[in-house]
Structure formats: C-alpha cells, structure tokens
Amino acid sequence: MDSAVDTLQDPAPSNMSPSESAYRQLRDRLLIGGFPLTRQLAEKRLAAMFGVSRTPVRHALIRLHGEGLVSQHAQGGYRPAVPDPNDIACLYEARRALEIGALWRPEEAGTSHDRGKLDALREDWEALRRDPPPADAEFVTTDEDFHIRLAQAAGNEVVADLLRSVNARIRVIRIHDFLSDDRIEVTIGEHLGILQAVAADDPAGAEKLFRAHLAKSKEIAEERALRAIARMATLD
C-alpha cells in the first residue's frame, strides 16, 4: 500500500462491531481518495490495515458496493468507484424537479402543507441548530430525511418515494458535502430558512432558497468528489 495512504489510517473505534468499524474506516478512506483507482481492494490487506478479520471487510465491501462507493473489479473483487458525471447531472435534475414540484403542490392543488408535519420537522432541525452534530458522512441520511419529510408534508407520497430512490442513487456524490463542520451548520440554517418560507405559504420564496441550497451543495459535493478521484489517480 502507498505510504501516503498508510498515514491516513485511524485506529478502529472501540465501541463498534468489527463489521461497522471496517465499514466506516473503509468508507472514510474512500471519501478522501485513499486508494489507487485501478488496484483491487484486497480483503487480506484491508483486514490487516483495519485490525479485523476478512469477514467484516467482506461485509463492508458488499455494503459499500450497494452505496456506489466501490465497483466490481474486472478481475474479481472490488475497487474504488468512479461516478458517471452524466448520470449524476440527470439525478440532480430529477431531484430538483421533484422537490420544487412538492413545494408548489399545495398551492396548485388548493390545499396546504401539513402543519403538524412542518412543526415536527422544524422542531427536529431547531434541535440540531442548538446542538450541531460533528461532521460525518452519516449526516447525509439526516439531510435526506429532511427533504423526504418536507415532500411528505406537501401530501404526495409518490413524490416522496421517487425522491427516496433518487437520493439513494445520488448519495455517492452527496455524501461528500457533509465532511466539514461548517457545511453541517450551513445546511441546518438553510433547511430552517426553507421551512420558514413554506410555513408562510410562500412557495416562490421557498423555491428560491431551495435552488440556492441545492446548487451550492452540488458544487461542493462534486468538487470534493473530483478531488478524491484525482488523488486516487496519483496512487499506485
């Protein structure tokens, strides 16, 4: 393994199972571009690196394959995945269309957003603003939950289900947006701003805020993902 990569190794967290520890350490190293793009992610080498047996590593690789962070190697096993830029662009377009449609749905249907769902969502995110979590790739699921629940408050579960599917496919890029504390705090503030506009029955204002929120998140996530891929391309 490249010596520069070895310096990235962290000790396995003592409060996690071997499978979860292997998964998180491997995921985090992939996110910063810690493996050569073309080299197979060998179970034996990874097991020694993370201080676990090969079985937890195998489970971690299967899980990461499902999340799109590793791909099948031509000679067997896995290697770091390289997302298709065209697919990512199309997925972001689909997400934008779904969420903007949900923001406008109540006005166009002559109804209103579910106030109980909006209030519960605001309370959850106000709590996060008071006590922001540390930067962690896992925050992507919390972020996804916000957007799903906001769509559900508009009253169309089909849109929410479609958004779940898009989020799952785009997560391989979006996960890069939550690797610094400042991005967590900015995201929380922007979510609460969107909620405030929705609660004020201002879909135009909510759409403007959402478009800016999505554009910035996409820019940062893609830049960090490309940086990680570029780093992997230099390793051998």
Side-chain angles (χ1 to χ4, degrees), residues 163-179:
L163 189 56
R164 286 189 187 93
S165 176
V166 170
N167 280 339
R169 294 175 60 188
I170 207 170
R171 190 177 298 137
V172 64
I173 291 294
R174 295 192 64 245
I175 199 170
H176 287 270
D177 188 26
F178 305 112
L179 304 181

Side-chain angles (χ1 to χ4, degrees), residues 95-139:
R95 181 187 167 199
R96 183 172 61 244
L98 287 168
E99 296 209 46
I100 290 175
L103 290 173
W104 282 95
R105 180 185 183 275
E107 178 170 293
E108 294 174 350
T111 59
S112 61
H113 280 82
D114 186 311
R115 296 293 165 174
K117 290 181 179 179
L118 290 180
D119 288 345
L121 188 55
R122 186 185 67 253
E123 289 174 6
D124 288 346
W125 283 79
E126 287 286 5
L128 286 173
R129 179 157 64 178
R130 290 190 297 270
D131 185 20
D136 190 289
E138 294 292 328
F139 190 78

Side-chain angles (χ1 to χ4, degrees), residues 59 87 91 156 161 174:
H59 291 165
D87 286 348
L91 288 165
N156 190 327
D161 285 342
R174 295 192 64 245

